[in-house]
Amino acid sequence: MQQHSTAHGFSTVAGKVPAPCLVLAGVCGIQFGAALAPRAYPQAGAAGVVFLRLLIAGVLLCLLWRPNRRSLNTVKGSWVTVLAAGTLLAAHHIAFFEAVDHVPLGIVATIEFLGPFTIALAGSRRVIDLLPACLAAGGVVLLSGTGTGSLPLSGLALAAVAACCWAGYILVSARMATLLSGGQGLAVAITWAALVSAPYGIAHAGGALLDPYVLGVATVVAIASSVLPYSLNLEALRRIPPRVFGVLTSLEPAAGALFGLLILRQHLDWPQWLGITSVACASIAASYLGTGARRTSRVNAKSSSVPEQGTAHDEADTPTATP
């Protein structure tokens, strides 16, 4: 199917930017949007901001990628996969943004990152793979430092729910990427996520959803932390290996802490900064160790007398960070 002119133009412009810069811009956009969203909480609450963010992002992505209903109907399992991705995305957004209302953004982003980190380590059978796991566990312990006061269990629980939903979304979206071309699946999934979150958002925000200030904040958040990062990552993944992508997105917890400090004035103690650094380093280590394991398995597979069946996109190389 021919790519829509708007999406083609976006790809042309993004193609002139180095791929690592695209990923880093996406990382900053996601955390900037997460730090900006609480500015509208007094009027609409986290529920209202999440609903508006997903709705605006869904509309913009549909205009950008122009999903084709015929394509979804002809591909077996596409609707189930897309709707599952959207449902997980809605649950993730609600849990994440509610958590930010109770716990500093840097800590929420770090706990959320443990979801894809767990996927990266899943199935490991080597002793050396325990190194990043222990490093991440140590980081979580440091995050529980009491210098900033005891963190509410409700906020930590919401962050953990966000991590689980994000991990589930990554697994489902990997399947979605193999079924549908371009950003069609992403556009439909986010639109469905907006519909799923609508009752929760409308019930909590009511008429505040029409407040110009709330709409303005939600629009900036939708563009900065949904439309641009997801689209930039799609372009970057066409040009850099998953290992590099995983290393770059490992900076998300640190970016969350930085934007939390600059925008929300959320100060962390040095043990918590050290904990965030430990989780980021653990993710980088997992990316390198995972690459070595995949390379070894491919060499063994090539030396085998039984030929492998595969596709151009190796599912083992699917990155486990932000899609």
Side-chain angles (χ1 to χ4, degrees):
M1 187 180 70
Q2 188 174 3
Q3 191 180 35
H4 184 252
S5 58
T6 305
H8 179 72
F10 176 85
S11 299
T12 301
V13 173
K16 299 178 181 179
V17 180
C21 294
L22 296 179
V23 180
L24 292 177
V27 166
C28 292
I30 289 173
Q31 299 306 323
F32 170 76
L36 186 66
R39 290 183 176 270
Y41 283 7
Q43 293 91 344
V49 175
V50 166
F51 166 59
L52 285 177
R53 171 196 171 174
L54 290 171
L55 179 62
I56 295 169
V59 171
L60 293 177
L61 284 170
C62 284
L63 292 175
L64 177 64
W65 293 107
R66 295 292 180 89
N68 191 319
R69 187 176 64 179
R70 183 177 300 176
S71 298
L72 272 73
N73 289 336
T74 54
V75 178
K76 184 178 179 181
S78 61
W79 278 109
V80 174
T81 304
V82 168
L83 296 183
T87 302
L88 287 167
L89 202 58
H92 163 267
H93 277 48
I94 292 173
F96 183 90
F97 282 91
E98 289 283 5
V100 172
D101 198 25
H102 299 85
V103 177
L105 174 60
I107 295 179
V108 175
T110 304
I111 294 176
E112 178 217 29
F113 203 78
L114 294 177
F117 176 77
T118 301
I119 295 177
L121 290 181
S124 297
R125 296 178 176 85
R126 301 177 304 166
V127 177
I128 194 173
D129 289 328
L130 294 176
L131 175 61
C134 294
L135 193 59
V140 173
V141 172
L142 289 170
L143 285 175
S144 62
T146 58
T148 57
S150 58
L151 299 175
L153 292 178
S154 59
L156 295 176
L158 286 168
V161 170
C164 294
C165 292
W166 196 237
Y169 171 78
I170 289 171
L171 295 175
V172 175
S173 65
R175 170 66 175 167
M176 183 172 66
T178 64
L179 294 176
L180 301 170
S181 62
Q184 291 189 89
L186 176 64
V188 177
I190 290 185
T191 303
W192 173 250
L195 295 176
V196 171
S197 64
Y200 183 71
I202 294 173
H204 283 75
L209 294 173
L210 301 178
D211 184 279
Y213 177 77
V214 174
L215 286 171
V217 171
T219 300
V220 175
V221 171
I223 295 174
S225 59
S226 292
V227 178
L228 286 178
Y230 294 165
S231 300
L232 292 176
N233 286 341
L234 283 174
E235 297 300 323
L237 284 168
R238 294 190 175 100
R239 290 187 275 146
I240 59 175
R243 173 182 59 81
V244 177
F245 183 86
V247 170
L248 292 172
T249 53
S250 299
L251 298 174
E252 275 200 25
L258 181 60
F259 280 107
L261 174 64
L262 296 177
I263 298 177
L264 299 176
R265 299 291 185 256
Q266 295 175 338
H267 295 271
L268 301 178
D269 265 3
W270 70 263
Q272 294 173 322
W273 280 104
L274 186 57
I276 291 172
T277 303
S278 297
V279 172
C281 291
S283 179
I284 294 173
S287 299
Y288 276 98
L289 293 175
T291 301
R294 287 192 294 268
R295 186 181 297 115
T296 301
S297 65
R298 285 171 184 167
V299 171
N300 293 337
K302 288 180 180 179
S303 63
S304 175
S305 59
V306 180
E308 280 190 324
Q309 293 179 345
T311 60
H313 177 76
D314 188 350
E315 189 172 346
D317 274 346
T318 301
T320 55
T322 306

